């Protein structure tokens, strides 16, 4: 299953930690959301050549969902892929997938909506052209909505 991640904008491998599990002996649902957050951080680092410094305009999470498909347990390694599926004027819709390496199967799918936010004016901002160009260059214009 994880071979499907090779074309993704971001692919990240993380070890499952013992402390990620809850009383039900599987990874707690909130950890999946943190794994997706880690993939989004990697996405913006990739966009900025390894740097994660923002100035006036920053990305913020506006919405997130997660469909839990298979329970991940310790020990395991997860592979997280992240792609852009829609690019709009002021936001971007991402889709992330979390795979269990031990079980070679999809464990969860998450969609997130990111917006650009102006830290000086304290309001949303159009998605910066440099960010848009990065995604269009990678995916082509098919992601434009």
């Amino acid at each position: 299953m994880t071979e499907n991640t090779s074309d993704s904008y971001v692919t990240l491998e993380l070890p499952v930690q013992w402390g990620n599990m809850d009383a039900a002996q599987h990874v707690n649902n909130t950890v999946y959301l943190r794994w997706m957050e880690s993939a989004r951080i990697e996405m913006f680092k990739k966009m900025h050549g390894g740097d994660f410094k923002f100035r006036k305009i920053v990305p913020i999470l506006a919405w997130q969902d997660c469909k839990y498909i298979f329970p991940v347990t310790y020990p395991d390694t997860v592979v997280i892929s992240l792609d852009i599926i829609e690019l709009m004027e002021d936001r971007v819709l991402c889709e992330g997938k979390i795979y269990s390496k031990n079980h070679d199967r999809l464990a969860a799918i998450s969609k997130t909506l990111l917006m650009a936010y102006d830290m000086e004016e304290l309001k949303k901002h159009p998605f910066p052209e440099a960010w848009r160009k990065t995604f269009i260059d990678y995916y082509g214009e098919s992601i434009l909505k």
Side-chain angles (χ1 to χ4, degrees):
M1 293 238 51
T2 56
E3 68 274 358
N4 297 336
T5 64
S6 61
D7 291 338
S8 294
Y9 188 76
V10 168
T11 302
L12 177 64
E13 267 192 41
L14 295 172
V16 175
Q17 303 294 316
W18 172 258
N20 293 150
M21 293 198 307
D22 58 20
Q25 296 298 301
H26 57 73
V27 171
N28 186 278
N29 291 354
T30 60
V31 174
Y32 291 75
L33 303 179
R34 287 196 302 262
W35 287 337
M36 291 310 308
E37 177 184 54
S38 294
R40 289 191 305 273
I41 299 300
E42 288 301 312
M43 176 181 72
F44 280 99
K45 282 172 60 177
K46 180 177 179 176
M47 287 173 58
H48 291 107
D51 188 13
F52 190 69
K53 292 181 183 169
F54 293 95
R55 289 155 186 75
K56 182 180 175 190
I57 309 302
V58 300
I60 61 169
L61 180 63
W63 169 84
Q64 181 172 6
D65 74 3
C66 191
K67 178 178 176 147
Y68 303 97
I69 298 168
F70 178 79
V72 175
T73 58
Y74 176 88
D76 202 345
T77 299
V78 291
V79 177
I80 304 118
S81 65
L82 184 67
D83 283 296
I84 304 306
I85 56 176
E86 288 184 20
L87 178 59
M88 295 157 265
E89 187 64 34
D90 64 344
R91 64 195 74 202
V92 63
L93 182 62
C94 306
E95 181 177 76
K97 295 179 180 174
I98 299 171
Y99 299 90
S100 162
K101 282 187 84 169
N102 281 3
H103 298 278
D104 194 29
R105 65 174 294 179
L106 184 64
I109 298 173
S110 177
K111 291 194 178 168
T112 56
L113 190 63
L114 301 175
M115 300 184 74
Y117 189 76
D118 187 317
M119 294 296 288
E120 292 174 6
E121 296 185 26
L122 302 177
K123 64 181 186 178
K124 76 176 185 173
H125 186 275
F127 221 65
E129 274 306 311
W131 299 2
R132 291 176 60 81
K133 182 180 181 333
T134 297
F135 295 139
I136 293 168
D137 287 351
Y138 190 82
Y139 294 102
E141 293 188 2
S142 64
I143 62 169
L144 295 174
K145 301 294 178 205

